[in-house]
Amino acid sequence: LQVYIAAGSSNVQRLTSLGYISTSEKTGNTVTVVTGSMTLAKYSAYANQVAVVPQNAYKIGEYRLTADSTEAVNLTTITLTIGGSGLATSTDLTDLYIVYGGVTSAVKSAGATTLTWSINSTIPANTTWDVVVYSDLASAITPGDTIIPSLQFQGTTVSSGQTLTTPALALAGQTITTGAGTFAVAADASRPVIALNVAGNTVKVGAFKFTSTNEAYTIDQLGAYVGEADAQDVIQNVIFKDGSTVLATQPFNGQYATTSTGIGFAIPANGDKVVDVYLQLANVGVGAAATGKDVNITLNSYKVVNSTGSTTTAYPALSGKEQYVVKTKPTVDMVALGSTVLSAGSGKVLGKVKISADSAGTIGWKKLNFTISKTAAITIGATTTLALYDSNNNVILGSFATTTSATTADVDALENLTSGNIDFVADTEQQISGSETYSLKGTIGGITSSGYYYLSVSIATPATGLAAPAAYSTVDQDGLGDSSPSFVWTDRSVQSHGEGTADWLDDYKVKELPTDSTTLSVTI
């Protein structure tokens, strides 16, 4: 609407003097006449669902109701129409109600195709309300049937008194399809790798991911199994955890540990959770368990309760990785050389290796196998001239032998070869508490003409599995062959320990093996 003052001659009279004046055309303000409106939209963040029946107060639809910025709307009626396929609406859907703007409607005790609620609520201008439709779903609903709710609001604008219906056709919401719930478990990627574990500690040995589909579940009981005979002797308790939360702690009965029921570990519908398994380890040694036992845990059973209270027992037989328990353990690593320049002469340091014992106790060792890579022309001296020295420059008494096609009859070890191995076997067990650094020394020759020369030293780890603890001679095998360990050590766990006691181990999973190489080089 817009009012104009028309142009005229002597068309305006003064109030006091009563004289007249003339005016030009004057345009007034524009006044727009409007009424309020409201819209209803399906809430996109609540997707189509698969529901496992029966369900109580299940969310079958969610919407957003919005009044525009013009005026508030007095809401008077909600109409709900139930569509889909395969339903007997009067019995399959019961106790329907709607929550809108924080208000809960009356409950319709029996379902029907169309339901109507008379309400008296006002949605303010420029406001959006959450609208959620709930219903009980009967167990008689056939899997594969669908439920599609359609919703409509009616009301009157507060100022203009206009009747609003949104939308003209009832708005269809999400599609709810009835189906079956499933529950599965698998080894989780976070499970520990194969390792040596020091006795007396609590260590993680397994991780298992439980996954639910369509339905929420609750784990009620867990069972574990340790495969190696007598391995349970080194286990005090198995501990099941959800992150830092302890779900259950259980001692072993023989090779099995099954918790009491009532764990109550909830897995949400279409979600997953990981159960970590820890072992509280006992001691290894005199008067305690034997060394080298594999305490790898198998998840051999669980009980799970679904959303309707039905219990299922499963036997997944899922294992972690091998976890060996020892009294103490070593670390073996190469040490950087003071100079990396290769030069000819006797008593040259070819490589340095540091052997450290865990703080749990002293380790012993008898054998080291050095891997040599070099320029073919380089010689390192006959095996009788090679020597291994400790950090105090004391020679370690023992014998050297090459482990390649080269023979001890060669003038120089590994002469004319680009790679090979040299075994050192100490005459007596070398004990380490803390750490010790050893230097391999020899006589370097063969630098006779211009060119590039190099010599690299490392320690390999040929063992592919932990052999049962045994006497030194058994673990060492032939003392030379390529299949023998590159490092033979002991945790000194047997009473009256010696080379003949069954507490010697190979180099499987010794930390830092295989080592990096240290290299000497020179260009002439």
Side-chain angles (χ1 to χ4, degrees), residues 487-512:
F487 179 61
V488 180
W489 67 283
T490 173
D491 63 359
R492 302 177 55 82
S493 58
V494 174
Q495 191 171 21
S496 302
H497 164 77
E499 290 186 26
T501 55
D503 55 356
W504 288 88
L505 299 142
D506 61 27
D507 57 2
Y508 188 59
K509 294 304 173 182
V510 169
K511 189 175 180 180
E512 306 303 339

PDB file of all heavy atoms in Angstrom, residues 487-512:
ATOM      1  N   PHE A 487      72.938 -64.906  17.315  1.00  0.00           N
ATOM      2  CA  PHE A 487      73.206 -64.508  18.696  1.00  0.00           C
ATOM      3  C   PHE A 487      72.567 -65.560  19.595  1.00  0.00           C
ATOM      4  O   PHE A 487      71.376 -65.861  19.469  1.00  0.00           O
ATOM      5  CB  PHE A 487      72.599 -63.121  18.970  1.00  0.00           C
ATOM      6  CG  PHE A 487      72.789 -62.614  20.374  1.00  0.00           C
ATOM      7  CD1 PHE A 487      74.062 -62.407  20.896  1.00  0.00           C
ATOM      8  CD2 PHE A 487      71.695 -62.317  21.179  1.00  0.00           C
ATOM      9  CE1 PHE A 487      74.239 -61.923  22.182  1.00  0.00           C
ATOM     10  CE2 PHE A 487      71.860 -61.829  22.467  1.00  0.00           C
ATOM     11  CZ  PHE A 487      73.136 -61.629  22.961  1.00  0.00           C
ATOM     12  N   VAL A 488      73.368 -66.142  20.468  1.00  0.00           N
ATOM     13  CA  VAL A 488      72.864 -67.138  21.419  1.00  0.00           C
ATOM     14  C   VAL A 488      73.081 -66.586  22.821  1.00  0.00           C
ATOM     15  O   VAL A 488      74.199 -66.214  23.186  1.00  0.00           O
ATOM     16  CB  VAL A 488      73.564 -68.502  21.249  1.00  0.00           C
ATOM     17  CG1 VAL A 488      73.019 -69.503  22.262  1.00  0.00           C
ATOM     18  CG2 VAL A 488      73.364 -69.022  19.829  1.00  0.00           C
ATOM     19  N   TRP A 489      71.993 -66.536  23.599  1.00  0.00           N
ATOM     20  CA  TRP A 489      72.028 -65.890  24.900  1.00  0.00           C
ATOM     21  C   TRP A 489      71.233 -66.692  25.926  1.00  0.00           C
ATOM     22  O   TRP A 489      70.528 -67.649  25.588  1.00  0.00           O
ATOM     23  CB  TRP A 489      71.471 -64.472  24.783  1.00  0.00           C
ATOM     24  CG  TRP A 489      69.997 -64.428  24.468  1.00  0.00           C
ATOM     25  CD1 TRP A 489      69.412 -64.636  23.269  1.00  0.00           C
ATOM     26  CD2 TRP A 489      68.945 -64.186  25.405  1.00  0.00           C
ATOM     27  NE1 TRP A 489      68.049 -64.544  23.364  1.00  0.00           N
ATOM     28  CE2 TRP A 489      67.732 -64.255  24.673  1.00  0.00           C
ATOM     29  CE3 TRP A 489      68.905 -63.912  26.767  1.00  0.00           C
ATOM     30  CZ2 TRP A 489      66.495 -64.081  25.281  1.00  0.00           C
ATOM     31  CZ3 TRP A 489      67.671 -63.721  27.370  1.00  0.00           C
ATOM     32  CH2 TRP A 489      66.482 -63.806  26.633  1.00  0.00           C
ATOM     33  N   THR A 490      71.321 -66.278  27.177  1.00  0.00           N
ATOM     34  CA  THR A 490      70.606 -66.945  28.260  1.00  0.00           C
ATOM     35  C   THR A 490      70.092 -65.921  29.259  1.00  0.00           C
ATOM     36  O   THR A 490      70.744 -64.896  29.501  1.00  0.00           O
ATOM     37  CB  THR A 490      71.502 -67.969  28.979  1.00  0.00           C
ATOM     38  OG1 THR A 490      70.807 -68.478  30.130  1.00  0.00           O
ATOM     39  CG2 THR A 490      72.805 -67.334  29.454  1.00  0.00           C
ATOM     40  N   ASP A 491      68.928 -66.211  29.834  1.00  0.00           N
ATOM     41  CA  ASP A 491      68.423 -65.348  30.914  1.00  0.00           C
ATOM     42  C   ASP A 491      68.806 -65.881  32.297  1.00  0.00           C
ATOM     43  O   ASP A 491      68.360 -65.361  33.305  1.00  0.00           O
ATOM     44  CB  ASP A 491      66.904 -65.167  30.814  1.00  0.00           C
ATOM     45  CG  ASP A 491      66.122 -66.472  30.989  1.00  0.00           C
ATOM     46  OD1 ASP A 491      66.765 -67.529  31.163  1.00  0.00           O
ATOM     47  OD2 ASP A 491      64.880 -66.420  30.954  1.00  0.00           O
ATOM     48  N   ARG A 492      69.615 -66.958  32.320  1.00  0.00           N
ATOM     49  CA  ARG A 492      70.174 -67.499  33.560  1.00  0.00           C
ATOM     50  C   ARG A 492      69.069 -67.799  34.574  1.00  0.00           C
ATOM     51  O   ARG A 492      69.168 -67.479  35.755  1.00  0.00           O
ATOM     52  CB  ARG A 492      71.198 -66.525  34.146  1.00  0.00           C
ATOM     53  CG  ARG A 492      72.355 -66.200  33.213  1.00  0.00           C
ATOM     54  CD  ARG A 492      73.321 -65.184  33.792  1.00  0.00           C
ATOM     55  NE  ARG A 492      73.846 -65.581  35.087  1.00  0.00           N
ATOM     56  CZ  ARG A 492      74.847 -66.419  35.281  1.00  0.00           C
ATOM     57  NH1 ARG A 492      75.460 -66.959  34.227  1.00  0.00           N
ATOM     58  NH2 ARG A 492      75.251 -66.742  36.491  1.00  0.00           N
ATOM     59  N   SER A 493      68.014 -68.440  34.103  1.00  0.00           N
ATOM     60  CA  SER A 493      66.840 -68.643  34.950  1.00  0.00           C
ATOM     61  C   SER A 493      66.784 -70.008  35.632  1.00  0.00           C
ATOM     62  O   SER A 493      65.928 -70.236  36.493  1.00  0.00           O
ATOM     63  CB  SER A 493      65.561 -68.463  34.111  1.00  0.00           C
ATOM     64  OG  SER A 493      65.541 -69.362  33.023  1.00  0.00           O
ATOM     65  N   VAL A 494      67.690 -70.931  35.228  1.00  0.00           N
ATOM     66  CA  VAL A 494      67.671 -72.279  35.790  1.00  0.00           C
ATOM     67  C   VAL A 494      68.660 -72.380  36.946  1.00  0.00           C
ATOM     68  O   VAL A 494      69.758 -71.812  36.901  1.00  0.00           O
ATOM     69  CB  VAL A 494      67.986 -73.323  34.698  1.00  0.00           C
ATOM     70  CG1 VAL A 494      68.120 -74.722  35.303  1.00  0.00           C
ATOM     71  CG2 VAL A 494      66.901 -73.307  33.639  1.00  0.00           C
ATOM     72  N   GLN A 495      68.279 -73.114  37.991  1.00  0.00           N
ATOM     73  CA  GLN A 495      69.173 -73.305  39.149  1.00  0.00           C
ATOM     74  C   GLN A 495      70.455 -74.001  38.701  1.00  0.00           C
ATOM     75  O   GLN A 495      70.446 -74.854  37.823  1.00  0.00           O
ATOM     76  CB  GLN A 495      68.458 -74.136  40.219  1.00  0.00           C
ATOM     77  CG  GLN A 495      69.178 -74.174  41.563  1.00  0.00           C
ATOM     78  CD  GLN A 495      68.320 -74.820  42.623  1.00  0.00           C
ATOM     79  OE1 GLN A 495      67.403 -75.562  42.323  1.00  0.00           O
ATOM     80  NE2 GLN A 495      68.591 -74.520  43.875  1.00  0.00           N
ATOM     81  N   SER A 496      71.575 -73.592  39.293  1.00  0.00           N
ATOM     82  CA  SER A 496      72.896 -74.130  38.928  1.00  0.00           C
ATOM     83  C   SER A 496      73.143 -73.951  37.432  1.00  0.00           C
ATOM     84  O   SER A 496      73.594 -74.849  36.726  1.00  0.00           O
ATOM     85  CB  SER A 496      73.011 -75.610  39.308  1.00  0.00           C
ATOM     86  OG  SER A 496      72.793 -75.789  40.694  1.00  0.00           O
ATOM     87  N   HIS A 497      72.842 -72.744  36.974  1.00  0.00           N
ATOM     88  CA  HIS A 497      72.936 -72.432  35.550  1.00  0.00           C
ATOM     89  C   HIS A 497      74.328 -72.715  34.998  1.00  0.00           C
ATOM     90  O   HIS A 497      75.351 -72.493  35.661  1.00  0.00           O
ATOM     91  CB  HIS A 497      72.601 -70.955  35.312  1.00  0.00           C
ATOM     92  CG  HIS A 497      73.020 -70.451  33.975  1.00  0.00           C
ATOM     93  ND1 HIS A 497      72.321 -70.730  32.818  1.00  0.00           N
ATOM     94  CD2 HIS A 497      74.103 -69.718  33.603  1.00  0.00           C
ATOM     95  CE1 HIS A 497      72.944 -70.181  31.802  1.00  0.00           C
ATOM     96  NE2 HIS A 497      74.019 -69.561  32.244  1.00  0.00           N
ATOM     97  N   GLY A 498      74.340 -73.211  33.754  1.00  0.00           N
ATOM     98  CA  GLY A 498      75.584 -73.440  33.031  1.00  0.00           C
ATOM     99  C   GLY A 498      75.277 -73.666  31.568  1.00  0.00           C
ATOM    100  O   GLY A 498      74.131 -73.555  31.124  1.00  0.00           O
ATOM    101  N   GLU A 499      76.298 -74.025  30.789  1.00  0.00           N
ATOM    102  CA  GLU A 499      76.081 -74.224  29.360  1.00  0.00           C
ATOM    103  C   GLU A 499      75.161 -75.395  29.074  1.00  0.00           C
ATOM    104  O   GLU A 499      74.549 -75.468  28.009  1.00  0.00           O
ATOM    105  CB  GLU A 499      77.412 -74.432  28.641  1.00  0.00           C
ATOM    106  CG  GLU A 499      78.266 -73.178  28.574  1.00  0.00           C
ATOM    107  CD  GLU A 499      79.518 -73.372  27.727  1.00  0.00           C
ATOM    108  OE1 GLU A 499      79.492 -74.240  26.820  1.00  0.00           O
ATOM    109  OE2 GLU A 499      80.508 -72.664  27.964  1.00  0.00           O
ATOM    110  N   GLY A 500      75.018 -76.298  30.025  1.00  0.00           N
ATOM    111  CA  GLY A 500      74.172 -77.465  29.811  1.00  0.00           C
ATOM    112  C   GLY A 500      72.755 -77.314  30.307  1.00  0.00           C
ATOM    113  O   GLY A 500      71.944 -78.235  30.120  1.00  0.00           O
ATOM    114  N   THR A 501      72.413 -76.187  30.961  1.00  0.00           N
ATOM    115  CA  THR A 501      71.050 -76.019  31.476  1.00  0.00           C
ATOM    116  C   THR A 501      70.116 -75.510  30.374  1.00  0.00           C
ATOM    117  O   THR A 501      70.545 -74.841  29.429  1.00  0.00           O
ATOM    118  CB  THR A 501      71.031 -75.045  32.664  1.00  0.00           C
ATOM    119  OG1 THR A 501      71.635 -73.807  32.273  1.00  0.00           O
ATOM    120  CG2 THR A 501      71.800 -75.625  33.840  1.00  0.00           C
ATOM    121  N   ALA A 502      68.843 -75.807  30.524  1.00  0.00           N
ATOM    122  CA  ALA A 502      67.864 -75.510  29.473  1.00  0.00           C
ATOM    123  C   ALA A 502      67.300 -74.099  29.605  1.00  0.00           C
ATOM    124  O   ALA A 502      66.086 -73.903  29.726  1.00  0.00           O
ATOM    125  CB  ALA A 502      66.741 -76.538  29.511  1.00  0.00           C
ATOM    126  N   ASP A 503      68.188 -73.126  29.593  1.00  0.00           N
ATOM    127  CA  ASP A 503      67.748 -71.729  29.631  1.00  0.00           C
ATOM    128  C   ASP A 503      68.515 -70.879  28.612  1.00  0.00           C
ATOM    129  O   ASP A 503      68.652 -69.674  28.766  1.00  0.00           O
ATOM    130  CB  ASP A 503      67.879 -71.150  31.037  1.00  0.00           C
ATOM    131  CG  ASP A 503      69.275 -71.286  31.627  1.00  0.00           C
ATOM    132  OD1 ASP A 503      70.142 -71.902  30.972  1.00  0.00           O
ATOM    133  OD2 ASP A 503      69.503 -70.785  32.740  1.00  0.00           O
ATOM    134  N   TRP A 504      69.009 -71.543  27.538  1.00  0.00           N
ATOM    135  CA  TRP A 504      69.663 -70.825  26.444  1.00  0.00           C
ATOM    136  C   TRP A 504      68.653 -70.614  25.317  1.00  0.00           C
ATOM    137  O   TRP A 504      67.825 -71.479  25.028  1.00  0.00           O
ATOM    138  CB  TRP A 504      70.873 -71.611  25.929  1.00  0.00           C
ATOM    139  CG  TRP A 504      72.018 -71.594  26.906  1.00  0.00           C
ATOM    140  CD1 TRP A 504      72.237 -72.456  27.929  1.00  0.00           C
ATOM    141  CD2 TRP A 504      73.090 -70.650  26.929  1.00  0.00           C
ATOM    142  NE1 TRP A 504      73.376 -72.116  28.619  1.00  0.00           N
ATOM    143  CE2 TRP A 504      73.923 -71.008  28.022  1.00  0.00           C
ATOM    144  CE3 TRP A 504      73.434 -69.547  26.154  1.00  0.00           C
ATOM    145  CZ2 TRP A 504      75.071 -70.301  28.339  1.00  0.00           C
ATOM    146  CZ3 TRP A 504      74.586 -68.842  26.482  1.00  0.00           C
ATOM    147  CH2 TRP A 504      75.388 -69.209  27.559  1.00  0.00           C
ATOM    148  N   LEU A 505      68.733 -69.450  24.678  1.00  0.00           N
ATOM    149  CA  LEU A 505      67.746 -69.065  23.671  1.00  0.00           C
ATOM    150  C   LEU A 505      68.432 -68.543  22.421  1.00  0.00           C
ATOM    151  O   LEU A 505      69.570 -68.047  22.478  1.00  0.00           O
ATOM    152  CB  LEU A 505      66.822 -67.978  24.236  1.00  0.00           C
ATOM    153  CG  LEU A 505      66.017 -68.389  25.471  1.00  0.00           C
ATOM    154  CD1 LEU A 505      65.920 -67.237  26.446  1.00  0.00           C
ATOM    155  CD2 LEU A 505      64.634 -68.838  25.071  1.00  0.00           C
ATOM    156  N   ASP A 506      67.712 -68.627  21.294  1.00  0.00           N
ATOM    157  CA  ASP A 506      68.254 -68.080  20.055  1.00  0.00           C
ATOM    158  C   ASP A 506      67.920 -66.593  19.949  1.00  0.00           C
ATOM    159  O   ASP A 506      67.409 -65.986  20.896  1.00  0.00           O
ATOM    160  CB  ASP A 506      67.754 -68.869  18.838  1.00  0.00           C
ATOM    161  CG  ASP A 506      66.237 -68.836  18.698  1.00  0.00           C
ATOM    162  OD1 ASP A 506      65.607 -67.860  19.156  1.00  0.00           O
ATOM    163  OD2 ASP A 506      65.671 -69.788  18.134  1.00  0.00           O
ATOM    164  N   ASP A 507      68.174 -66.007  18.784  1.00  0.00           N
ATOM    165  CA  ASP A 507      68.064 -64.555  18.636  1.00  0.00           C
ATOM    166  C   ASP A 507      66.687 -64.085  18.182  1.00  0.00           C
ATOM    167  O   ASP A 507      66.512 -62.928  17.810  1.00  0.00           O
ATOM    168  CB  ASP A 507      69.120 -64.050  17.648  1.00  0.00           C
ATOM    169  CG  ASP A 507      69.015 -64.737  16.285  1.00  0.00           C
ATOM    170  OD1 ASP A 507      68.105 -65.564  16.100  1.00  0.00           O
ATOM    171  OD2 ASP A 507      69.845 -64.438  15.416  1.00  0.00           O
ATOM    172  N   TYR A 508      65.687 -64.977  18.193  1.00  0.00           N
ATOM    173  CA  TYR A 508      64.353 -64.608  17.716  1.00  0.00           C
ATOM    174  C   TYR A 508      63.761 -63.485  18.564  1.00  0.00           C
ATOM    175  O   TYR A 508      63.658 -63.584  19.770  1.00  0.00           O
ATOM    176  CB  TYR A 508      63.441 -65.832  17.758  1.00  0.00           C
ATOM    177  CG  TYR A 508      62.091 -65.624  17.102  1.00  0.00           C
ATOM    178  CD1 TYR A 508      61.991 -65.268  15.771  1.00  0.00           C
ATOM    179  CD2 TYR A 508      60.923 -65.793  17.831  1.00  0.00           C
ATOM    180  CE1 TYR A 508      60.764 -65.098  15.158  1.00  0.00           C
ATOM    181  CE2 TYR A 508      59.681 -65.621  17.232  1.00  0.00           C
ATOM    182  CZ  TYR A 508      59.603 -65.276  15.900  1.00  0.00           C
ATOM    183  OH  TYR A 508      58.380 -65.093  15.301  1.00  0.00           O
ATOM    184  N   LYS A 509      63.414 -62.383  17.884  1.00  0.00           N
ATOM    185  CA  LYS A 509      62.776 -61.211  18.479  1.00  0.00           C
ATOM    186  C   LYS A 509      63.642 -60.492  19.521  1.00  0.00           C
ATOM    187  O   LYS A 509      63.118 -59.740  20.353  1.00  0.00           O
ATOM    188  CB  LYS A 509      61.424 -61.564  19.075  1.00  0.00           C
ATOM    189  CG  LYS A 509      60.406 -61.978  18.028  1.00  0.00           C
ATOM    190  CD  LYS A 509      60.241 -60.904  16.964  1.00  0.00           C
ATOM    191  CE  LYS A 509      59.364 -61.345  15.815  1.00  0.00           C
ATOM    192  NZ  LYS A 509      59.236 -60.305  14.758  1.00  0.00           N
ATOM    193  N   VAL A 510      64.958 -60.717  19.474  1.00  0.00           N
ATOM    194  CA  VAL A 510      65.847 -59.895  20.297  1.00  0.00           C
ATOM    195  C   VAL A 510      65.812 -58.475  19.741  1.00  0.00           C
ATOM    196  O   VAL A 510      65.941 -58.260  18.531  1.00  0.00           O
ATOM    197  CB  VAL A 510      67.279 -60.455  20.283  1.00  0.00           C
ATOM    198  CG1 VAL A 510      68.257 -59.459  20.914  1.00  0.00           C
ATOM    199  CG2 VAL A 510      67.323 -61.781  21.035  1.00  0.00           C
ATOM    200  N   LYS A 511      65.623 -57.528  20.614  1.00  0.00           N
ATOM    201  CA  LYS A 511      65.433 -56.137  20.201  1.00  0.00           C
ATOM    202  C   LYS A 511      66.634 -55.613  19.426  1.00  0.00           C
ATOM    203  O   LYS A 511      67.779 -55.843  19.793  1.00  0.00           O
ATOM    204  CB  LYS A 511      65.191 -55.250  21.418  1.00  0.00           C
ATOM    205  CG  LYS A 511      64.759 -53.835  21.080  1.00  0.00           C
ATOM    206  CD  LYS A 511      64.416 -53.058  22.331  1.00  0.00           C
ATOM    207  CE  LYS A 511      63.971 -51.639  21.984  1.00  0.00           C
ATOM    208  NZ  LYS A 511      63.636 -50.854  23.201  1.00  0.00           N
ATOM    209  N   GLU A 512      66.329 -54.902  18.331  1.00  0.00           N
ATOM    210  CA  GLU A 512      67.258 -54.254  17.400  1.00  0.00           C
ATOM    211  C   GLU A 512      67.930 -55.218  16.437  1.00  0.00           C
ATOM    212  O   GLU A 512      68.771 -54.810  15.634  1.00  0.00           O
ATOM    213  CB  GLU A 512      68.325 -53.428  18.133  1.00  0.00           C
ATOM    214  CG  GLU A 512      67.785 -52.403  19.098  1.00  0.00           C
ATOM    215  CD  GLU A 512      66.842 -51.400  18.450  1.00  0.00           C
ATOM    216  OE1 GLU A 512      66.898 -51.224  17.221  1.00  0.00           O
ATOM    217  OE2 GLU A 512      66.029 -50.801  19.173  1.00  0.00           O
TER     218      GLU A 512
END
